[in-house]
Amino acid sequence: MSGGSGKSSAIAAGLIFFGFMLLFFVMPGIMTWLAEFSPWLAAAFGTLAVLSFFLIFWLRARHQRRR
């Protein structure tokens, strides 16, 4: 692994992490709005948001292993 690749990976991971932190910052408002329609919809959105955080990093790790 070259030095540039490690730096690129760290930047990509940081951007993904920052994006999810923004999502988690506005998530209570989104869930409250969705709960007006259905509490199950709000719960599903929260669950998908949290699981997608781990899914993105898992898929990225799989892609990096193949390269």
Side-chain angles (χ1 to χ4, degrees), residues 2 6 10-12 14-15 20 24 27 31 36 39 46 49-50 55:
S2 67
I11 291 170
L15 289 174
F20 274 103
F24 292 151
M27 198 162 99
M31 289 183 69
E36 293 176 10
V50 171
L55 180 67

Side-chain angles (χ1 to χ4, degrees), residues 21-51:
M21 288 302 105
L22 287 175
L23 172 66
F24 292 151
F25 181 74
V26 299
M27 198 162 99
I30 294 170
M31 289 183 69
T32 302
W33 177 74
L34 287 173
E36 293 176 10
F37 302 105
S38 168
W40 290 103
L41 185 60
F45 171 75
T47 302
L48 288 174
V50 171
L51 289 178

Side-chain angles (χ1 to χ4, degrees), residues 1 5 9 59-67:
M1 176 195 250
S5 177
S9 295
L59 288 173
R60 187 161 177 9
R62 274 187 64 166
H63 177 68
Q64 291 296 325
R65 271 189 300 225
R66 288 185 186 163
R67 291 177 62 201

